[in-house]
Amino acid sequence: MKFASRTAHLRPEGAYRVMALAQELERQGRDIVHLEIGQPDFNTFPSIAEEGKRAIDAGFTRYNPSEGFGDLREAIADYSLKRSIEANASQVCVGPGAKPVLLFPMIALLEPGDEALYPDPGFPSYRADIEIAGGIPIPVPLVEENSFSFDLAALESRITAKTKLLILNSPANPTGGVISSEDLQAIAAMAQDRDFYVLSDEIYSRLVYDQQRAPSIYALEGMSDRVIIVDGFSKSYAMTGWRLGYAIMPEPLAQKVSLLLTHAVGCTAGFTQRAGLVALDKCDQDVSRIVSQYQERRNVFVDGINQIQGIHCRKPEGAFYAFPNVSELGIPSVELADQLLNEAGVACLSGTDFGPNGNGYLRFSYAASIEQLNEALDRIAAFLKARG
Ligand code: PLP
């Protein structure tokens, strides 16, 4: 079959690929510690699940507005004020997960030949979506020494007359890094001087540690008409399978994205949206509780992995990923991840699953119990010791 060239670049996502390999090993009787997939190990909070069930019984099972229920869009706009994001409901588009509302603004904005800058290492859908949308992906390296933020001079050197969009992700997958307010200020100034849009993926904004906050570039002076915030319920409320996300953007763009939602997905399940309202309304305490658990797990895992010779890991400020530097071990990341899975029974991802700049790193999701994390640390240490 001859496929359209716009699909030629598509590759499987590392997390799904490694999870399938790990499950195959389990079928063969192997015991695997799963630290590969980026999803909470908690169940959806009971109040959310109850509302979802109630809403099915109440008949929220039909088509509904493509851009989402009005009251949910209002609630999202109100909730965003807590992070100084001032937006109207008319700027909010709800979608089945954050992924579609990540792609559709790019489809709406990028002309063939337009350049879009994205972080490397970064969430694999960024590059894939830029290419699907017909843009030219331009990777910008993240720098470990700069808390996995950009080197601003390197970012600036990649901006051209064709730059239409810059993707930010803070807190970040896969590094756990949070972009500082100073860096956001500098990036906002570049966006205004050189006239490009910023798509800011803030899906991990509630998962920050040590009383820190993840500021949004949207809230900076003069930025609200050039920023698209992508956010969602998957990570903060343990709702990955419910499929509920949203984006906040300038109203004319929201109208275009709403049309793309109409023609591509129709709408987001009504009972899922009702459940989302409860998440925003009633679950701040549940989120705080899991944030302290993730923080404890992060400390256990990062302190433990730093005890292993040849590995050093910055303490991530947010999300639930550790991104240790393993370059001293002298084994390419892909091979090391492969050996850890097959020989040590620890499933993790090679940093290169997130772009070439991820070489020399591994990504571990610490959304797992402390027992599993300690088991993984023991297995990694024993494996590397035996290897000598
Ligand atoms: N953005 C980032 C940075 C992610 O890590 C993920 C999921 O892994 C998503 C977006 C997509 O989330 P959703 O489940 O809402 O589609």
Side-chain angles (χ1 to χ4, degrees), residues 28-346:
Q28 294 165 18
R30 293 281 307 279
D31 177 59
I32 307 290
V33 183
H34 286 272
L35 304 183
E36 76 280 31
I37 196 106
Q39 80 174 329
D41 59 327
F42 302 102
N43 284 335
T44 305
F45 306 139
S47 54
I48 300 175
E50 283 310 317
E51 176 62 11
K53 289 183 245 178
R54 190 203 63 77
I56 290 175
D57 290 339
F60 286 97
T61 49
R62 300 194 162 83
Y63 291 137
N64 61 74
S66 299
E67 64 279 9
F69 286 132
D71 55 355
L72 178 59
R73 296 167 76 210
E74 298 259 351
I76 289 167
D78 287 350
Y79 193 88
S80 302
L81 273 177
K82 293 188 187 177
R83 296 183 57 233
S84 309
I85 293 163
E86 284 182 37
N88 297 321
S90 55
Q91 293 174 250
V92 178
C93 284
V94 173
K99 277 187 172 175
V101 288
L102 185 64
L103 171 63
F104 293 159
M106 294 195 225
I107 291 186
L109 289 174
L110 296 178
E111 291 282 14
D114 282 345
E115 294 175 356
L117 305 169
Y118 69 99
D120 175 4
F123 182 50
S125 295
Y126 301 147
R127 186 184 177 112
D129 288 353
I130 294 166
E131 293 192 275
I132 294 168
I136 301 174
I138 310 286
V140 186
L142 296 181
V143 185
E144 183 180 357
E145 298 71 39
N146 193 16
S147 309
F148 285 117
S149 205
F150 295 126
D151 168 345
L152 292 176
L155 168 61
E156 197 155 23
S157 72
R158 284 165 174 79
I159 300 170
T160 72
K162 291 186 184 159
T163 305
K164 186 76 167 276
L165 183 73
L166 164 69
I167 300 179
L168 301 179
N169 178 212
S170 175
N173 178 9
T175 66
V178 172
I179 306 177
S180 68
S181 298
E182 297 73 48
D183 280 8
L184 286 181
Q185 289 281 1
I187 294 167
M190 287 181 212
Q192 289 174 359
D193 284 355
R194 308 291 296 271
D195 192 20
F196 55 83
Y197 294 98
V198 178
L199 188 152
S200 180
D201 181 346
E202 302 180 6
I203 197 161
Y204 295 103
S205 59
R206 293 171 196 79
L207 307 182
V208 278
Y209 309 115
D210 307 319
Q211 279 87 49
Q212 293 194 49
R213 298 184 71 119
S216 175
I217 193 165
Y218 181 101
L220 300 182
E221 181 80 37
M223 288 304 285
S224 62
D225 58 354
R226 59 174 75 245
V227 174
I228 301 124
I229 298 176
V230 172
D231 203 333
F233 294 72
S234 290
K235 315 289 177 175
S236 311
Y237 303 105
M239 291 179 74
T240 48
W242 291 74
R243 309 313 297 136
L244 188 60
Y246 60 87
I248 302 174
M249 63 200 98
E251 196 176 329
L253 179 59
Q255 286 167 3
K256 209 42 132 183
V257 168
S258 167
L259 292 173
L260 286 161
L261 285 161
T262 302
H263 295 296
V265 301
C267 64
T268 302
F271 54 88
T272 294
Q273 294 188 60
R274 301 327 290 169
L277 261 171
V278 167
L280 294 179
D281 254 18
K282 301 213 164 78
C283 293
D284 280 358
Q285 275 191 349
D286 298 280
V287 176
S288 303
R289 184 172 46 81
I290 62 160
V291 165
S292 20
Q293 293 193 35
Y294 285 143
Q295 181 168 319
E296 194 188 341
R297 293 159 172 206
R298 173 200 67 166
N299 293 346
V300 166
F301 189 77
V302 173
D303 292 349
I305 203 120
N306 276 322
Q307 302 290 316
I308 301 175
Q309 217 183 354
I311 304 187
H312 56 94
C313 186
R314 286 191 74 261
K315 203 160 248 188
E317 294 111 334
F320 39 56
Y321 306 112
F323 201 61
N325 186 323
V326 293
S327 50
E328 258 177 52
L329 295 172
I331 316 167
S333 297
V334 180
E335 266 172 53
L336 184 58
D338 205 51
Q339 290 171 7
L340 287 175
L341 174 62
N342 288 298
E343 294 170 43
V346 177

